[in-house]
Amino acid sequence: IDFNELSRSPISQMYEYEALKYELNGYHSFNLNKNGGKIRLIFSTDNHQTIILEFISINHYEDFKNKL
């Protein structure tokens, strides 16, 4: 599966896949707690081929922004 397929898959939609915006452009996330939870996997891609786990966020991106 490539990144484009991953971003459109039903499983990705179930875990609220989203591309991040603004200063976090280029990063993406999955929400591990369905229905509005706060544990998110933040990742980037290498030319849309390799997914690189960057951070596990428990504070809705604020902790990840502080790390940047």
Side-chain angles (χ1 to χ4, degrees), residues 40-63:
R40 299 172 191 276
L41 298 180
I42 309 291
F43 64 95
S44 62
T45 64
D46 177 11
N47 296 322
H48 295 292
Q49 295 177 11
T50 303
I51 294 174
I52 303 162
L53 177 63
E54 299 283 353
F55 200 75
I56 299 173
S57 172
I58 57 172
N59 193 16
H60 198 72
Y61 315 125
E62 291 302 318
D63 47 4

Side-chain angles (χ1 to χ4, degrees), residues 14-16 30-41 57-58:
M14 183 174 73
Y15 286 99
E16 299 178 13
F30 287 108
N31 186 351
L32 296 185
N33 288 347
K34 294 187 281 184
N35 301 320
K38 292 185 177 181
I39 299 174
R40 299 172 191 276
L41 298 180
S57 172
I58 57 172

